[in-house]
Amino acid sequence: MKRGIALLIAVCLFCSGCSSELLAGLSGQSSYFYRFIAQGENGQYKVKGTAYQAKEGKNLVLVRLAAENNSTVTVRGKQKAVKGNAQLVYTAGDGTEVLLAEAKDGEVDTIVSVQKGEGTIGFIPCESAEGQKAEAVIDFDFQIEGGEGVNLTGHEPEEIKPSESPKKLREADSSKEAGLADIGFPGIENDWPEKLLIKVDGLYARPLIMDFDVEEPGEISLSYKAEMGKLQIKIVNESGEIYFEEADIQAGDEKETSLDIDEAGAYWIYLYAEYFGGEVVLKPKE
């Protein structure tokens, strides 16, 4: 049975088994992404995940840019305010802020003029009806494209590895409403039991998680070929038992191996990627 891709947990500072809805009931002083995946190529930068914007926390940067001259940036995609509201803004090097959209608006399709020099695009807090800044939880999926002379350099959120068990990750993902969770990501396909395929150019993930079901014990084939960046792969069962783990995969590394799956059930493949380019394939052994 074909399953969806779980883009879960890039940074989770204080909760176990987090989902957007669970996090909406919590509060804190720090802003952070607790799900984050990004990929940039051909002048475009795609970002997807969930952001927690604290009312007194720092602004959350989605992408950094450098413009050789005054130019434009196009932002398209979707966002969903799970709790509260936040503003998506372009911030110029001199501190000038230009509002692109508010999270409650949902769809985003806008072109913003950008100044020569450095700048950012990201979330900032909104003020409540009483004039006070309020916290927010936002699901987002954006494609950002730089105009002539604009270089999109991306942004790496602080890395904190997830503490969630695979079972809790599945429960959190299955509880989400249809919508942003169903939006695909370029070069990532979950066609299990045929195969899982990741074929990307410049993927950043902390982590990308894909789940698959094994109906009966047997062997599965795992292969990877790294052309750029770094990659770490881990495969676990529902209890968290590790069936495969390899870190520090770098450009030029290539491998094909077989895994002995000794029991039926649910399994997860975790990919920690730092601007990885290449291919990872997981499929039943023929």
Side-chain angles (χ1 to χ4, degrees):
M1 179 176 64
K2 183 176 179 180
R3 298 197 59 83
I5 300 171
L7 306 175
L8 295 175
I9 317 301
V11 178
C12 187
L13 298 187
F14 54 81
C15 61
S16 177
C18 285
S19 67
S20 305
E21 291 75 13
L22 289 174
L23 192 67
L26 304 176
S27 61
Q29 299 299 315
S30 299
S31 298
Y32 54 87
F33 298 105
Y34 75 89
R35 299 186 298 157
F36 191 88
I37 181 171
Q39 182 178 352
E41 60 180 339
N42 300 324
Q44 296 182 346
Y45 199 76
K46 186 169 176 67
V47 289
K48 180 176 180 178
T50 299
Y52 171 74
Q53 178 66 64
K55 59 183 177 181
E56 301 297 339
K58 63 182 180 181
N59 297 347
L60 284 173
V61 175
L62 289 171
V63 64
R64 299 185 184 278
L65 59 93
E68 297 176 359
N69 296 289
N70 293 344
S71 187
T72 61
V73 170
T74 301
V75 182
R76 297 187 177 92
K78 296 181 179 181
Q79 54 184 338
K80 174 185 175 183
V82 180
K83 176 183 179 181
N85 192 23
Q87 294 179 328
L88 182 68
V89 300
Y90 156 67
T91 304
D94 62 5
T96 301
E97 293 180 342
V98 178
L99 176 64
L100 306 182
E102 293 192 3
K104 64 181 181 181
D105 295 336
E107 299 280 346
V108 179
D109 188 350
T110 186
I111 300 175
V112 60
S113 296
V114 299
Q115 298 178 13
K116 178 181 179 180
E118 297 182 350
T120 64
I121 293 176
F123 293 111
I124 65 172
C126 277
E127 291 188 354
S128 66
E130 294 75 25
Q132 302 295 320
K133 290 184 178 180
E135 62 190 18
V137 178
I138 310 298
D139 285 340
F140 60 89
D141 188 312
F142 298 133
Q143 179 172 294
I144 304 170
E145 183 174 358
E148 184 177 356
V150 177
N151 181 35
L152 303 177
T153 58
H155 175 64
E156 299 182 8
E158 179 184 0
E159 176 187 353
I160 297 181
K161 292 186 178 181
S163 60
E164 285 69 16
S165 69
K167 183 176 181 180
K168 289 182 178 179
L169 288 174
R170 169 170 283 188
E171 290 172 349
D173 186 59
S174 64
S175 69
K176 293 175 68 66
E177 297 178 8
L180 291 181
D182 298 326
I183 299 174
F185 203 86
I188 301 174
E189 300 176 11
N190 190 337
D191 291 321
W192 193 263
E194 300 294 328
K195 64 180 177 180
L196 303 183
L197 171 65
I198 300 95
K199 190 173 184 179
V200 293
D201 181 13
L203 174 71
Y204 185 95
R206 276 292 180 269
L208 165 67
I209 304 174
M210 302 173 72
D211 67 318
F212 59 98
D213 292 322
V214 174
E215 295 184 356
E216 59 183 34
E219 286 188 319
I220 59 175
S221 171
L222 171 67
S223 63
Y224 64 76
K225 182 178 181 180
E227 299 174 354
M228 62 180 286
K230 295 181 180 180
L231 182 68
Q232 176 182 344
I233 303 174
K234 181 166 67 173
I235 297 176
V236 301
N237 65 7
E238 192 167 3
S239 300
E241 181 181 356
I242 297 174
Y243 279 72
F244 178 86
E245 185 170 24
E246 191 154 336
D248 200 29
I249 299 169
Q250 302 190 35
D253 291 344
E254 187 174 352
K255 186 174 186 177
E256 182 172 354
T257 188
S258 296
L259 309 180
D260 183 18
I261 304 299
D262 54 7
E263 60 181 357
Y267 291 79
W268 282 259
I269 178 169
Y270 291 67
L271 300 177
Y272 294 85
E274 294 182 16
Y275 303 108
F276 170 73
E279 183 176 272
V280 179
V281 180
L282 186 71
K283 61 183 180 180
K285 188 78 172 180
E286 297 179 353

